Each structure stands twice: as C-alpha cells, then as structure tokens.
Amino acid sequence: MHVVKKIEIIANSFELAKILDNLDKSGVHRHAVIRNVAGKGLQGTTEDLDMTMLDNVYILAFCMPDQLKPVVENIKPLLNKFGGTCYVSDVMEIRSVRCVASM
C-alpha cells in the first residue's frame, strides 16, 4: 500500500473534454467519469433532473503526490473560468500485482 492523491472534480459536462485534456497534460492519464450528477451546491439545488448539455459530471482520478502541483495549476483556471469544484485528499492505494483470475 502507498499514499496517492484522490482528485474529485464536479463540473459542467460542457467542460469535460477540457478538464480531461488538462488532467492528461498534467500526467494523470487514468480517470473515471460519472455523468448526470445532481446535488446541492453554493447556488442551491438543481430541481430539474432532465438530462441536458449543461448537466454536471463527476470526475475521479488518482495521482502520485508529486504530480499534484501541475494538476492544480492546470485545473484551477478552468474551474475559475467555467465553475465547478475540485477536492483533493490523501488515500491509500492497494495495488494487486497478482491477478487471481490468471491462476
């Protein structure tokens, strides 16, 4: 087990490609995206749950601690310009090097 940084971003789906591109430029090449995220933020609750081009997405990515600074430098301007939130936390990664299915 080792410590990695967990990056959670909630943003407008319209900016998804730009955010993923900036994560990639920062050296974070793996991520998960959950579309059509609803919730309550600083601007209140979104009552309209119909899917639109303006739906929010949740992006989950992990990186090594020394990769975090370029991630923040690349993602923060996008979130400041288009809105969204980003949370970073320390988590432990358990990496299996031996797949049971191959035995």
Side-chain angles (χ1 to χ4, degrees), residues 6 12 37 45 48-49 68 74 77 79 81 90-91 93 99:
K6 180 169 74 173
N12 187 293
V37 174
T45 304
D48 183 11
L49 295 179
L68 185 60
N74 286 324
L79 297 178
K81 185 173 183 179
D90 290 327
V91 295
E93 179 184 38
C99 182

Side-chain angles (χ1 to χ4, degrees), residues 8-83:
E8 299 172 276
I9 302 169
I10 300 171
N12 187 293
S13 63
F14 191 72
E15 306 306 325
L16 178 61
K18 293 175 187 169
I19 292 170
L20 296 181
D21 186 48
N22 278 292
L23 282 175
D24 199 50
K25 288 177 183 172
S26 304
V28 179
H29 305 295
R30 298 177 186 170
H31 60 266
V33 175
I34 301 173
R35 297 179 187 275
N36 304 322
V37 174
K40 182 178 180 182
L42 293 174
Q43 298 174 354
T45 304
T46 302
E47 296 293 332
D48 183 11
L49 295 179
D50 293 336
M51 289 190 283
T52 67
M53 286 294 292
L54 301 177
D55 287 337
N56 288 331
V57 292
Y58 174 86
I59 302 162
L60 175 64
F62 298 91
C63 70
M64 299 305 293
D66 60 340
Q67 292 178 296
L68 185 60
K69 185 176 178 184
V71 170
V72 171
E73 290 173 351
N74 286 324
I75 296 299
K76 190 173 180 180
L78 279 174
L79 297 178
N80 285 341
K81 185 173 183 179
F82 300 108

